[in-house]
Amino acid sequence: EAGVAQSPRYKIIEKRQSVAFWCNPISGHATLYWYQQILGQGPKLLIQFQNNGVVDDSQLPKDRFSAERLKGVDSTLKIQPAKLEDSAVYLCASSSPRSLRDRENTGELFFGEGSRLTVL
Amino acid sequence: AQSVTQLDSHVSVSEGTPVLLRCNYSSSYSPSLFWYVQHPNKGLQLLLKYTSAATLVKGINGFEAEFKKSETSFHLTKPSAHMSDAAEYFCVVSPSGSARQLTFGSGTQLTVLP
């Protein structure tokens, strides 16, 4: 089966410019996540969608970051205006519906290869 | 509240020697624990997971981890390192019963020397 697709893989912009990242999850996966991974750190959750609804966006800097998943399939993460500290890899992940229905937390997320953003 | 501490940011071993990557956790709940691996320019991949069943968990590629509640540890081991094991490894904790709120450690970079 096809994995999680992300684009672009690399993006270089100047501060105060805008950028958008796209993610297409594994077919049939209802849950989609965006993570930010700063160099030398572990991934940090930005936002989680269940179908086209937001489950958790408590860590999303809403003054500059926005994300949508209008049809419950692919998703877009936007940053406007970008700051130097936004330089990071933006990871998209998805998980199957079974992960949420099961009593036990399977915790298996399927990650894309990431979009590396450099802000100059 | 939950957190995870990976005790070594870098580990270097020779090919064929054992691997030990250390992880301590803190959780208010009975946790689920995971190890993910990230090869260069690749997405993260699940290695193994502990979800309150057997305390010794076997994963892919010969890795295993032991959940020790008394020590709040979940160290990752492999008897014999292979060159292809060179990657970054993340220990992850989550409240049991919740598919969200995965908290990642800061990662351990494993180097395998020929």
Side-chain angles (χ1 to χ4, degrees):
Chain A
E1 88 189 334
V4 177
Q6 291 190 245
S7 68
R9 290 294 310 279
Y10 305 92
K11 189 74 175 179
I12 301 174
I13 61 173
E14 295 188 348
K15 60 184 179 183
R16 292 188 289 274
Q17 287 187 323
S18 63
V19 63
F21 301 112
W22 173 83
C23 171
N24 191 25
I26 292 173
S27 178
H29 281 194
T31 310
L32 185 148
Y33 312 77
W34 282 102
Y35 282 84
Q36 180 192 57
Q37 186 178 15
I38 293 173
L39 186 66
Q41 300 180 19
K44 183 187 79 172
L45 179 68
L46 290 175
I47 188 168
Q48 177 184 346
F49 292 95
Q50 176 71 13
N51 295 310
N52 61 349
V54 175
V55 172
D56 184 354
D57 65 355
S58 57
Q59 300 298 310
L60 188 73
K62 298 180 186 63
D63 57 333
R64 297 182 300 104
F65 286 65
S66 64
E68 60 184 14
R69 193 184 184 200
L70 293 176
K71 297 182 179 178
V73 181
D74 55 351
S75 175
T76 302
L77 176 70
K78 297 180 181 177
I79 308 174
Q80 182 179 13
K83 292 186 175 181
L84 297 177
E85 59 262 35
D86 298 332
S87 294
V89 177
Y90 291 86
L91 298 167
C92 180
S94 68
S95 62
S96 75
R98 186 177 175 200
S99 302
L100 294 178
R101 287 203 299 269
D102 285 352
R103 180 171 180 80
E104 281 194 341
N105 175 20
T106 67
E108 181 163 14
L109 305 186
F110 295 84
F111 285 84
E113 295 182 339
S115 295
R116 183 180 297 276
L117 173 65
T118 302
V119 182
L120 303 176
Chain B
Q2 59 187 20
S3 65
V4 60
T5 302
Q6 293 185 243
L7 299 169
D8 307 292
S9 58
H10 291 87
V11 170
S12 183
V13 301
S14 297
E15 189 175 21
T17 64
V19 175
L20 170 63
L21 305 183
R22 299 183 295 165
C23 172
N24 285 357
Y25 70 90
S26 172
S27 178
S28 303
Y29 305 91
S30 178
S32 294
L33 292 156
F34 314 85
W35 277 96
Y36 276 80
V37 61
Q38 186 176 33
H39 287 92
N41 297 314
K42 298 293 184 184
L44 287 94
Q45 179 186 17
L46 181 67
L47 264 184
L48 52 78
K49 59 190 177 191
Y50 165 77
T51 54
S52 74
T55 57
L56 182 62
V57 181
K58 294 188 184 299
I60 60 173
N61 300 334
F63 284 94
E64 62 182 36
E66 186 172 7
F67 173 71
K68 292 186 176 180
K69 186 175 181 178
S70 60
E71 299 176 10
T72 61
S73 69
F74 191 58
H75 302 332
L76 182 70
T77 60
K78 182 173 181 178
S80 176
H82 191 272
M83 296 296 290
S84 61
D85 295 328
E88 186 144 28
Y89 293 79
F90 292 93
C91 183
V92 184
V93 64
S94 173
S96 184
S98 171
R100 64 183 84 160
Q101 298 179 347
L102 297 182
T103 299
F104 283 75
S106 56
T108 298
Q109 182 68 46
L110 176 65
T111 299
V112 182
L113 304 171

